[in-house]
Amino acid sequence: MEDNYFPCSPQLLKEPLSFADLVGNGAEFEMDKSQEVNACKEFLGDDSDSDYEDAEGVDNEALLSPWTQSFDELRALMHRIDEHIYKRITREGHVDRDLVPEKARVSIRYSGYWEGEGHPFDSSMLRGTKFEFETGQKMVIEGLEAAVRTMRPYEQAEFIISYKLLFRELGCPPRIKPMADGLFKVEVIDFSLIGDAEAIDAIPKEDRDKFCVVYPKAQDMHLYGKDCVKRGRYRNAATAFERAINSLNYCRMANDEQERRQTELLITLTQNLMIVYNKLNKPQRVCIMMKSLRRLTENNPSCKALFQEGRALAALGEYDRARNVFLQAQSKQPENTQISDEIISMNKRISKYKEASRDLWSRAFSVKNSKSAGPKTAADLEKEAKEQCFKDEIKDIIKEFENSGDKSMGFSRKMFSDAQFGIICNLVKDHNMNLTLSPIHEDVLTLSKVEVKSD
C-alpha cells in the first residue's frame, strides 16, 4: 500500500541556524507554516479577517497569453493607472473589501509574458501553488507590487507594466530582453494586515501614557500577533498580545470614549491571548486571563472566551468545572456542534471517573482489613480512583496513537504531576514506545513509535 504523500514547498527558518548549534546542545527554531492547509480549524481560534476564501476554488485559466499582438494595441483597450502601468479588469473583486494596502500579506496567482509571445516567462501556476508576499518590503519587482496594490480580493486583471518598473534597461538576456515591457495576468486571492512587531518600541518614553499615541500602536501589535497565529508562531503572538495589553493598561484616558475603545481592544487582545496560551499548553495562564476578562466584561465573557477557558480547565483535570463552562458557552451558541462535542467528552470523563471511584469503594467495603495494612481512608480511595481514571485515559490516547499513521506526538510535561508522569512512563514501556525529553525545552515531551527494521 502506498503512503499518502502531501507535496509542500521548502520551508524557511525565521532566524538562521549554525551547524554548531545543531550538533551541540540543539537549537530552537520556527518555520513559516502559512502554506500549510489546516484541515480542522479550531472553533473560534482562527481570528482571520477574511471571509473570501471562495477565490481558492476558482479554476486556473490557461497559461497561454491573452494577447500576442502589439502592446500598443492592447494599451488602447486598457485604463491608464500612471505613465508606467495600464490595467484591464477581467473579473471584478469584492466591492466591500479595500484595495491591497501597504503592510499586508497578499496571496496571488500570476503569469508574465513578453510582447508577442504566447507562453509565460514566469508563472505561479507552473509551480502549482499561489504566491504570497508582503507589501512594502520590496519582496517582488516594483511593477508587480504596484499593480497588485490597485486590486481587491477575488479580482482578476491584466496589466502592461513598463520595463522601468520591471528589469530596467539592461534586462537579463537571453531570458529577459533589454528594455522589455511585460504583460501580467494577476488574480488576488486575499490579503491580511500584518501589523508591526516594533510598534510599541517606536513610541517616545514621554508619550507612552498618552492614549491617542499608544492606541494605534497597540492595534498594530494586535495585527502582528494575529498574523503570527496564522503562521504558527505562537510564542511571538503571545509576546505581541502581552505587550499590547501592557501598553494599553499604562495609558491615561481623557474621556469616556477613550475608555470604551481601550476596553474593547483589551477584550479582543485578552481573548486572543487565551487562544495562544492554549496552543502553548499553558492552561493556568488561560485561567488567569479569564479573570481579567470577566472584570473587563462585567462578568459576561463571550462564547469564544468561555470555550477557551473550558479547554484550559479540561487540560488541568477540572472536568466538572470545564463542563459547567462549556454549558455556559452553549447557552450563547446552542447550535455550535464543537461545543456539544466538548460537553459530551467531559460527560464521558466525569462518568469514567465516577465509575472508577465506585469500583474502588466497592472493593474497599467487600474486603476485610488486612493485618499487614490498615484500612484505607476516603482520601486514599479518591486518590486511587483518580489515578485509575487517569491511567485509563492515557491508555486510550496511546492506543489511538498506536493505531494511527502518525510516527510521533508531542505534549507538555508541566501538564502532569510526578506520579502521573510515572504512570505515563510505565504505559509507554508496556506498549514498546519511546518517550523523549527535548534537550532545549524541559517542558516538551515526544512520544514516538519504535521503528522495526526489516532484514
Side-chain angles (χ1 to χ4, degrees):
M1 182 180 293
E2 294 183 358
D3 294 333
N4 290 331
Y5 172 70
F6 299 96
C8 62
S9 57
Q11 298 291 326
L12 297 179
L13 300 181
K14 184 186 174 188
E15 299 291 343
L17 273 180
S18 69
F19 184 73
D21 292 333
L22 293 175
V23 299
N25 296 325
E28 176 188 358
F29 59 88
E30 290 185 339
M31 293 191 302
D32 188 339
K33 294 184 177 181
S34 60
Q35 299 295 337
E36 296 182 7
V37 178
N38 186 359
C40 182
K41 289 186 178 179
E42 179 183 355
F43 164 64
L44 293 173
D46 184 12
D47 215 15
S48 174
D49 291 322
S50 172
D51 295 321
Y52 298 104
E53 291 298 325
D54 52 339
E56 291 280 2
V58 179
D59 293 333
N60 290 337
E61 295 182 6
L63 284 173
L64 294 177
S65 173
W67 189 271
T68 56
Q69 302 176 44
S70 166
F71 279 0
D72 288 336
E73 296 178 27
L74 182 56
R75 285 190 185 94
L77 304 175
M78 290 181 158
H79 170 67
R80 185 178 185 269
I81 302 298
D82 57 36
E83 60 178 325
H84 300 304
I85 300 177
Y86 287 77
K87 176 181 179 180
R88 177 170 68 174
I89 297 175
T90 56
R91 185 179 73 192
E92 292 289 345
H94 290 291
V95 294
D96 55 342
R97 293 291 301 277
D98 294 330
L99 300 177
V100 176
E102 190 176 8
K103 290 186 179 180
R105 179 169 287 104
V106 57
S107 300
I108 67 171
R109 297 187 185 99
Y110 74 93
S111 296
Y113 309 86
W114 300 128
E115 187 171 9
E117 296 185 2
H119 296 282
F121 65 84
D122 186 25
S123 175
S124 63
M125 300 178 193
L126 293 174
R127 295 183 286 275
T129 182
K130 62 186 179 182
F131 177 69
E132 189 174 272
F133 68 96
E134 296 177 15
T135 56
Q137 302 298 315
K138 298 182 179 179
M139 297 176 66
V140 298
I141 53 177
E142 183 181 356
L144 179 59
E145 177 170 332
V148 168
R149 292 282 303 276
T150 70
M151 302 177 69
R152 304 178 191 273
Y154 195 71
E155 181 180 337
Q156 289 181 346
E158 298 168 358
F159 297 88
I160 292 180
I161 303 176
S162 167
Y163 70 91
K164 295 181 180 179
L165 299 184
L166 296 177
F167 301 100
R168 311 295 178 177
E169 289 80 1
L170 297 179
C172 188
R175 187 182 179 192
I176 301 173
K177 302 174 183 178
M179 301 180 66
D181 295 343
L183 169 62
F184 284 80
K185 288 195 307 183
V186 182
E187 173 191 4
V188 172
I189 299 170
D190 202 2
F191 72 84
S192 60
L193 301 176
I194 59 176
D196 184 359
E198 310 297 332
I200 300 298
D201 296 331
I203 303 176
K205 290 184 178 181
E206 62 271 17
D207 293 334
R208 293 189 178 182
D209 62 343
K210 297 177 181 177
F211 179 82
C212 58
V213 176
V214 172
Y215 182 77
K217 301 298 183 181
Q219 287 181 309
D220 260 354
M221 291 293 289
H222 177 220
L223 290 173
Y224 173 74
K226 287 170 60 178
D227 185 63
C228 288
V229 171
K230 295 175 187 176
R231 303 171 77 81
R233 298 174 179 173
Y234 300 121
R235 292 187 183 88
N236 295 46
T239 300
F241 294 146
E242 289 165 353
R243 295 191 66 195
I245 289 172
N246 291 337
S247 64
L248 283 172
N249 283 329
Y250 186 70
C251 287
R252 293 181 298 177
M253 269 59 68
N255 51 52
D256 291 342
E257 174 61 19
Q258 288 187 357
E259 187 172 349
R260 182 192 64 79
R261 291 165 63 193
Q262 180 210 38
T263 300
E264 286 182 354
L265 186 53
L266 281 173
I267 290 172
T268 302
L269 287 165
T270 304
Q271 290 179 158
N272 288 340
L273 190 53
M274 291 172 68
I275 294 171
V276 173
Y277 282 154
N278 268 333
K279 292 284 189 182
L280 294 171
N281 293 320
K282 296 181 177 179
Q284 296 92 340
R285 294 194 182 184
V286 176
C287 296
I288 292 171
M289 298 311 300
M290 189 58 170
K291 291 180 180 179
S292 299
L293 193 60
R294 289 185 183 277
R295 177 182 55 81
L296 289 167
T297 61
E298 297 180 352
N299 204 27
N300 185 29
S302 67
C303 177
K304 175 179 183 176
L306 290 168
F307 184 83
Q308 295 300 323
E309 184 188 25
R311 284 198 159 176
L313 291 170
L316 292 170
E318 299 284 349
Y319 301 139
D320 285 312
R321 290 179 61 195
R323 180 180 179 276
N324 290 336
V325 170
F326 283 130
L327 287 172
Q328 293 177 46
Q330 189 180 53
S331 68
K332 294 178 180 289
Q333 289 190 11
E335 303 300 323
N336 192 291
T337 56
Q338 197 163 4
I339 297 177
S340 300
D341 291 342
E342 292 287 352
I343 293 173
I344 293 171
S345 175
M346 290 302 102
N347 287 337
K348 288 180 179 179
R349 292 186 182 188
I350 293 170
S351 176
K352 203 169 185 179
Y353 166 72
K354 289 181 178 180
E355 184 180 344
S357 181
R358 284 194 301 267
D359 182 57
L360 284 173
W361 276 103
S362 63
R363 281 187 290 168
F365 285 117
S366 63
V367 179
K368 293 183 179 180
N369 293 338
S370 172
K371 294 182 180 180
S372 58
K376 293 184 178 180
T377 65
D380 292 333
L381 292 171
E382 184 177 0
K383 181 180 179 182
E384 288 184 13
K386 286 186 176 181
E387 288 180 354
Q388 184 61 43
C389 181
F390 175 78
K391 188 174 182 180
D392 292 340
E393 286 187 0
I394 297 300
K395 278 184 179 179
D396 292 341
I397 293 173
I398 292 177
K399 187 175 180 180
E400 183 179 349
F401 170 63
E402 192 174 26
N403 295 330
S404 72
D406 298 332
K407 294 183 179 180
S408 65
M409 64 178 292
F411 54 93
S412 172
R413 169 66 178 87
K414 292 181 180 178
M415 293 174 61
F416 308 105
S417 66
D418 292 340
Q420 290 174 333
F421 184 60
I423 293 173
I424 293 174
C425 291
N426 290 332
L427 290 175
V428 168
K429 186 177 180 181
D430 292 342
H431 286 77
N432 194 27
M433 294 184 181
N434 291 329
L435 187 64
T436 56
L437 187 64
S438 169
I440 305 168
H441 287 292
E442 297 179 358
D443 178 43
V444 179
L445 291 167
T446 301
L447 178 65
S448 58
K449 299 174 182 177
V450 176
E451 295 185 4
V452 180
K453 295 183 179 180
S454 58
D455 296 334

